[in-house]
Amino acid sequence: MRSLRTPNPRFADLPDFPHEPRYADLPDGDGGTLRMAWVEDGPADGPVVLLLHGEPSWSFLYRTTIPPLAAAGLRVLAPDLVGFGRSDKPAEIADHTYARHVEWVRSLLFDALDLRGVTLVGQDWGGLIGLRLVAEHPGRFAGVVAANTGLPTGDHDMPPVWWAFRRAVERAPELDVARLVQSGCRTPFTDAVRAAYDAPFPDESYKAGPRAMPLLVPTRPDDPAATANRAAWATLRTLDLPFLCAFSDGDPITAAMEPVLRAAMPGAAGRAHPTVNGAGHFLQEDAGPELAAAVLGLVRG
C-alpha cells in the first residue's frame, strides 16, 4: 500500500492546539505499516476519554473540548484517523474500506496503547467506527457519548443533504476540505482555523481519505459493511453501558439517528440527553466546551 505523510511544517502555528503529536506504527492490512497519530492531555492515570473525529476533519476539531476534560482529571486521547490529520494517508481511494478503518483504530487503541475503561465520544465517522469497536470489544469500554453520528446498515436511505454532500465530494476537481468543514459549522472560521483544516492535505494526492469516506457509508442492504454493522446493532442492544446522546440542534444529516439510538441502547434509558444548541454538524467546532460538559456528566455518573 502506497501512503503519503504530511510534512510536519504544515502543522506549525495551529491556533489553540498546542498538543505535541504521538505516533504508533500499525499494520496497514496489506503487508506494510502505517503511522497513526494522536494527541493526549490530562493525567496518565485518569479515566480514559477517547475523542474520535469524522470526515473530513482531524483531532484539531476537538481543541476546545480537550482542555476542560483534561482539567477535570481525565486522560483525553484524540487520534487522527488514517488518511487524516497527522496520520499517514493511503494514496488510493480503494485502499480505504470501512473494515480497515475499524481495524486501524482498534490496533492503535488496544494493541499499541492497551486502553481499558474507555469512554467513547464519537462524531460523524468517529461514531461509525467507534460504535463498531464498542460492539466488538465491549469489555474495553466504560461508556459512550454519541454526538451527531449513527451506525447505518444500508437498510434505510440517507437524507438528501447527505447525498448532496457525497456528490459534491465525488465530483469536485479540487476538494476544498476547510470549506466542507465550514459548511457544517455555524461559527465562521478565521483564516488560521481554515488553514488548520487544510494543513493535512498539501495537494490533491493526499485527499484519498476524504474522497473515500462518503463512498464507504452503507447505503444499500448488500453493502460490504452492512452485515458487520447489523451484528454490531444486535450486540449494542444488549449492552448496559452508560450511553448518552449529545446531538446538536442544527444537523440535518444525523438528527434522525438520535431517537433511534436513545430507544435502542439500554444504557440510554432514564438519562437526560442534552441538546447542544446553536451548533451544526461539527458541534465540537461550534460548542466544544458544551460537549465536554456532557461528557463529564456521563463519566461522573
Side-chain angles (χ1 to χ4, degrees), residues 117-251:
V118 177
T119 295
L120 165 71
V121 181
Q123 184 263 339
D124 191 87
W125 265 98
L128 273 71
I129 294 169
L131 289 172
R132 277 277 299 274
L133 290 172
V134 172
E136 293 166 9
H137 307 275
R140 295 276 187 162
F141 289 89
V144 177
V145 178
N148 290 356
T149 192
L151 189 62
T153 61
D155 297 309
H156 305 281
D157 198 10
M158 298 294 288
V161 65
W162 181 86
W163 282 107
F165 166 75
R166 172 172 159 162
R167 287 192 295 270
V169 171
E170 283 184 284
R171 297 173 183 176
E174 295 185 7
L175 196 62
D176 189 336
V177 169
R179 183 180 178 183
L180 287 174
V181 181
Q182 175 69 94
S183 70
C185 302
R186 292 182 174 178
T187 305
F189 286 177
T190 64
D191 289 344
V193 169
R194 176 177 289 275
Y197 282 116
D198 282 333
F201 311 107
D203 59 49
E204 292 302 305
S205 68
Y206 287 76
K207 298 177 184 177
R211 287 192 182 275
M213 297 307 264
L215 306 178
L216 303 183
V217 175
T219 58
R220 61 184 191 276
D222 62 345
D223 184 276
T227 298
N229 280 14
R230 289 191 197 101
W233 271 107
T235 300
L236 290 168
R237 288 189 175 99
T238 70
L239 298 180
D240 200 21
L241 284 174
F243 194 102
L244 186 71
C245 289
F247 280 57
S248 72
D249 63 346
D251 183 15

Side-chain angles (χ1 to χ4, degrees), residues 27 29 61 88 92 105 116 169-170 184 193 196 218 223 233 242 291 300:
L61 181 68
D88 284 350
E92 304 299 329
V105 177
R116 300 176 186 275
V169 171
E170 283 184 284
V193 169
D223 184 276
W233 271 107
L291 177 59
R300 290 174 171 171

